[in-house]
Amino acid sequence: MDLKSQTRAKVVVLFVGLNDVKRLLTAARTLNASFLWVVGSTWGLTKDIVEEYDKALGRIISINSQSYPLQRFNDHFQAKMDANAYNITDLEFRSLFSESFYFTSPLYPQERNLENSELKVEFPPSPKVMSVVNAVYAIAHALQDMYSVICPNVSSNCLVKHNNITLMTFLRKARFTAPFLPPDVQYTVEFDKDRNGPARYNIFTIQEMNGSYQHQQIGSWAEKLTLNLSHILWDNNIEPESHCRKPCGNHERKNIEQGNPCCWVCIKCQPNEALINESTCKECDPGYWPNTDGNGCSKLPLDYIQWGDGLAIGSICVSCLGILSTIFVGGVLVWNNNTPIVKATGREFCYILLIGVLLLYVMTFIFIARPSRVVCSLRRFGLATSFAICYSALLTKTNRITRIFNSTKKGIVQPRYISLTSQLSICLALITCQLLGLLIWLIVDPAEVMESTSPDKHHMTVKCRSGDLRLLLSLVYNVLLILLCTVYAFKTRKYPENFNEAKCIGFTMYTTCIIWLASLPIFYVTSDYSKVQVATLCVSISLCAFVILGGLFVPKLYIIFYHPEKNVKSRQWFKGVSHTESSHGTTGEVSQCH
């Protein structure tokens, strides 16, 4: 009844005695339960099963020890039976047979002595006889080997003082050809590492042949399985499937039901777990993820922006355009190095600005390069330094204009520290502060590369260990410079038109602030998408460079190319301002921002 309740159970493997088999077959017939019964070698080819077969539903596959007829033993035992047939009451002889043997038959009363000729029973040899004979010969070979080693020149009595442990040692090594075999049969008897003897079996099924049920061999086992399923006549020609539950799917483990080891519930492994056996899921180590089959962990592929990516190509194109523009502007200014338009705004600061702008464009290539200790150091050091060069020069220029006008209002003809040497010293000092800070930071906290699992768990993101926050911290000094430049540009917005380059600087600073305010949120929002984040940062840096290049140098190029008549010395000088022409700033009309 328990078997029948398992609706998916179609095959039953039995390790029970013959009487239990009969009862099971009878019960199966009574409950109309159809199973495929697989029975062990305990019953072998006994006719009792065949007799019960037509009373049971389903089919039977049986296993029997593989053996060969031992004619010498059969002749000996038949002679023994013939010699003792007259003495059926011999208890010692009768003890050799089971109670069901013919001695209990009414034809042969137990109290009568019969003549030899009256008792002619053909001896039915058991297939286990061969195994018994092999076992006896194994003991004999072990004793022989033991004797030849321990007592080579001594009486056999010397074996008495050795226990059975010594005998077992020789028995495990015993190896011989099975006796009494047909001439064309080779059968070696030996024991394997688990102390098991020869495993040779024939496999049978019970089928109806010539009007009766008989055993038909369908396969064998002799070190390997040989099976011909085509000889089995399945019910309805359908090969049975027997399971309490269907096999678990991919990446699912078996959870065995308590009290029923044949049944299970399929539980899916966690996304980061691999199925190491049918009942166990194991979490993959960091940097690894279950493979396609889910039965092992594979190292996640490294993911970083590469030169061939579309985002990288777009960023590089923008950067290359900026580099060519910077080189063109620098070439024009060098060609017109001694003209008033270049001298009026301080040509030294123009070249410093162009160097900073050029470095900003170059930073795109450093950010797209694969992260390494050198690349990470250059990112942290180069970005902050490039911005510091640009904004230090702008801060110095705006501060100079502010101090000139403030000193004029106070009646001071010549304010302090406005000479070329002083201005360059102030600019270099501002840049040096940034350089020293970055150098100390790199010594205290060296740049390193780290690999982290992406949010989708499908790859490893390669980043600099400094992270997004530290990269932005390196720009704090530059933010301060930008704010000061913006403040000074705002203060000088209403100064006379002849001195209104501050308006150009103001426009540059306002636009820069807008770009930074827009870029920072985007930078953080795209932190989970490293390629997008790097491309966004590169484009933002290039935009800042374009703003400086366009806001401060396009007006100069416009005058040089389209209004060369304005690129002359002005006779209108602002009262109180030095009439000295210097390479860092005669403040005339040529400084107008168009």
Side-chain angles (χ1 to χ4, degrees):
M1 291 181 65
D2 182 51
L3 288 172
K4 189 177 179 182
S5 66
Q6 304 292 340
T7 57
R8 292 195 176 102
K10 301 299 181 183
V11 180
V12 182
V13 182
L14 297 175
F15 297 90
V16 296
L18 186 59
N19 291 333
D20 292 324
V21 175
K22 291 180 179 180
R23 296 169 63 190
L24 278 169
L25 294 179
T26 301
R29 179 190 59 192
T30 304
L31 296 176
N32 197 30
S34 180
F35 296 101
L36 171 65
W37 305 92
V38 180
V39 300
S41 59
T42 304
W43 339 318
L45 302 181
T46 178
K47 294 182 179 179
D48 291 351
I49 299 180
V50 177
E51 293 171 356
E52 290 291 329
Y53 187 75
D54 61 343
K55 303 176 184 178
L57 300 175
R59 296 196 174 275
I60 296 177
I61 294 177
S62 62
I63 301 170
N64 192 34
S65 298
Q66 192 178 91
S67 63
Y68 298 92
L70 305 181
Q71 193 59 42
R72 287 182 58 185
F73 175 81
N74 295 346
D75 294 343
H76 167 76
F77 202 81
Q78 186 69 50
K80 189 76 173 176
M81 289 180 63
D82 293 344
N84 288 277
Y86 67 90
N87 191 9
I88 298 176
T89 57
D90 186 342
L91 298 180
E92 182 178 357
F93 178 70
R94 289 180 58 187
S95 67
L96 298 175
F97 304 92
S98 66
E99 292 297 326
S100 62
F101 202 61
Y102 62 87
F103 294 111
T104 59
S105 172
L107 296 177
Y108 304 104
Q110 298 185 16
E111 303 300 331
R112 288 182 55 190
N113 290 334
L114 303 177
E115 295 294 332
N116 254 7
S117 59
E118 296 181 21
L119 184 60
K120 289 294 182 180
V121 179
E122 189 67 26
F123 164 61
S126 168
K128 299 181 177 63
V129 170
M130 183 176 175
S131 298
V132 175
V133 171
N134 289 341
V136 172
Y137 269 75
I139 296 290
H141 278 277
L143 287 171
Q144 178 66 30
D145 295 340
M146 181 178 173
Y147 177 77
S148 61
V149 173
I150 298 176
C151 312
N153 301 313
V154 188
S155 169
S156 59
N157 292 332
C158 74
L159 295 179
V160 175
K161 50 187 176 180
H162 293 277
N163 55 30
N164 61 345
I165 296 178
T166 306
L167 176 61
M168 290 298 296
T169 302
F170 285 91
L171 184 59
R172 291 170 192 161
K173 300 177 182 178
R175 189 176 189 275
F176 58 94
T177 301
F180 314 123
L181 293 177
D184 58 339
V185 175
Q186 290 294 324
Y187 193 139
T188 302
V189 179
E190 60 182 334
F191 300 95
D192 62 17
K193 60 182 179 61
D194 297 319
R195 308 177 188 179
N196 295 318
R200 292 172 180 262
Y201 299 94
N202 291 327
I203 304 171
F204 298 87
T205 184
I206 300 177
Q207 295 186 4
E208 187 176 2
M209 293 184 293
N210 300 324
S212 64
Y213 288 101
Q214 300 179 19
H215 288 94
Q216 182 180 6
Q217 185 171 345
I218 59 173
S220 63
W221 169 269
E223 308 302 330
K224 65 178 182 179
L225 178 65
T226 302
L227 194 62
N228 189 349
L229 294 178
S230 64
H231 288 172
I232 303 178
L233 301 178
W234 304 112
D235 290 336
N236 301 321
N237 293 322
I238 299 176
E239 184 175 337
E241 291 185 2
S242 184
H243 45 72
C244 183
R245 295 285 185 273
K246 289 187 176 181
C248 292
N250 191 24
H251 207 215
E252 291 181 343
R253 67 177 179 88
K254 288 183 179 179
N255 186 28
I256 305 298
E257 292 183 3
Q258 188 173 3
N260 191 351
C262 294
C263 291
W264 60 86
V265 176
C266 294
I267 300 177
K268 196 166 186 66
C269 296
Q270 294 297 320
N272 63 333
E273 293 179 338
L275 187 68
I276 59 175
N277 57 51
E278 65 178 14
S279 60
T280 307
C281 296
K282 182 181 179 182
E283 183 178 356
C284 292
D285 295 331
Y288 289 81
W289 198 254
N291 56 27
T292 305
D293 297 330
N295 57 4
C297 297
S298 301
K299 187 173 178 60
L300 291 173
L302 297 179
D303 182 65
Y304 55 90
I305 192 167
Q306 301 185 29
W307 300 105
D309 293 342
L311 292 173
I313 293 174
S315 302
I316 291 173
C317 290
V318 173
S319 178
C320 290
L321 178 62
I323 291 173
L324 293 176
S325 300
T326 304
I327 294 174
F328 173 75
V329 171
V332 172
L333 294 184
V334 170
W335 185 263
N336 296 273
N337 187 56
N338 294 318
T339 61
I341 188 66
V342 177
K343 296 171 63 177
T345 53
R347 54 191 173 189
E348 289 79 7
F349 286 101
C350 289
Y351 299 140
I352 292 175
L353 270 173
L354 289 176
I355 292 173
V357 169
L358 186 63
L359 291 177
L360 287 176
Y361 290 125
V362 171
M363 288 305 302
T364 295
F365 297 90
I366 296 176
F367 274 97
I368 292 178
R370 176 174 177 170
S372 65
R373 294 190 66 176
V374 174
V375 170
C376 292
S377 299
L378 289 175
R379 285 183 182 182
R380 196 194 303 180
F381 193 85
L383 181 61
T385 302
S386 301
F387 277 124
I389 291 174
C390 295
Y391 299 132
S392 295
L394 290 176
L395 178 60
T396 305
K397 288 169 68 71
T398 54
N399 174 264
R400 173 176 173 271
I401 295 173
T402 303
R403 288 192 296 111
I404 288 176
F405 277 92
N406 288 340
S407 63
T408 302
K409 292 178 182 179
K410 296 177 181 180
I412 302 175
V413 176
Q414 182 73 28
R416 300 174 61 186
Y417 308 118
I418 63 170
S419 65
L420 174 62
T421 303
S422 300
Q423 291 295 291
L424 290 177
S425 299
I426 294 173
C427 181
L428 293 177
L430 293 174
I431 297 173
T432 302
C433 290
Q434 177 75 83
L435 291 175
L436 289 177
L438 291 173
L439 188 61
I440 294 172
W441 188 10
L442 284 173
I443 294 174
V444 175
D445 183 22
E448 293 181 1
V449 181
M450 69 173 186
E451 298 177 358
S452 59
T453 307
S454 63
D456 58 7
K457 308 298 183 181
H458 292 159
H459 57 268
M460 294 289 291
T461 301
V462 184
K463 285 186 175 183
C464 296
R465 189 181 62 84
S466 57
D468 302 339
L469 180 60
R470 296 185 182 185
L471 182 65
L472 295 179
L473 286 176
S474 66
L475 301 176
V476 170
Y477 181 75
N478 293 289
V479 172
L480 179 61
L481 294 179
I482 291 173
L483 292 177
L484 290 175
C485 286
T486 304
V487 171
Y488 282 124
F490 181 78
K491 287 183 176 180
T492 59
R493 70 189 185 281
K494 294 182 180 180
Y495 284 175
E497 186 177 359
N498 289 349
F499 298 89
N500 64 1
E501 189 187 20
K503 292 183 179 181
C504 298
I505 297 175
F507 170 78
T508 301
M509 291 297 98
Y510 303 149
T511 308
T512 300
C513 290
I514 293 173
I515 292 174
W516 278 57
L517 290 175
S519 300
L520 290 178
I522 296 175
F523 185 78
Y524 273 108
V525 168
T526 58
S527 60
D528 292 337
Y529 307 94
S530 60
K531 294 183 178 181
V532 178
Q533 186 184 45
V534 171
T536 302
L537 182 61
C538 291
V539 172
S540 299
I541 295 171
S542 295
L543 285 178
C544 291
F546 275 119
V547 167
I548 296 174
L549 199 63
L552 298 179
F553 294 98
V554 168
K556 296 179 178 59
L557 298 183
Y558 180 77
I559 292 177
I560 291 174
F561 289 115
Y562 296 102
H563 294 282
E565 71 280 0
K566 294 184 178 181
N567 192 8
V568 295
K569 294 181 180 180
S570 176
R571 297 177 180 272
Q572 300 175 8
W573 303 101
F574 192 86
K575 182 180 178 180
V577 179
S578 172
H579 293 259
T580 304
E581 292 186 16
S582 69
S583 63
H584 70 280
T586 53
T587 52
E589 289 181 337
V590 293
S591 65
Q592 292 179 358
C593 176
H594 297 269

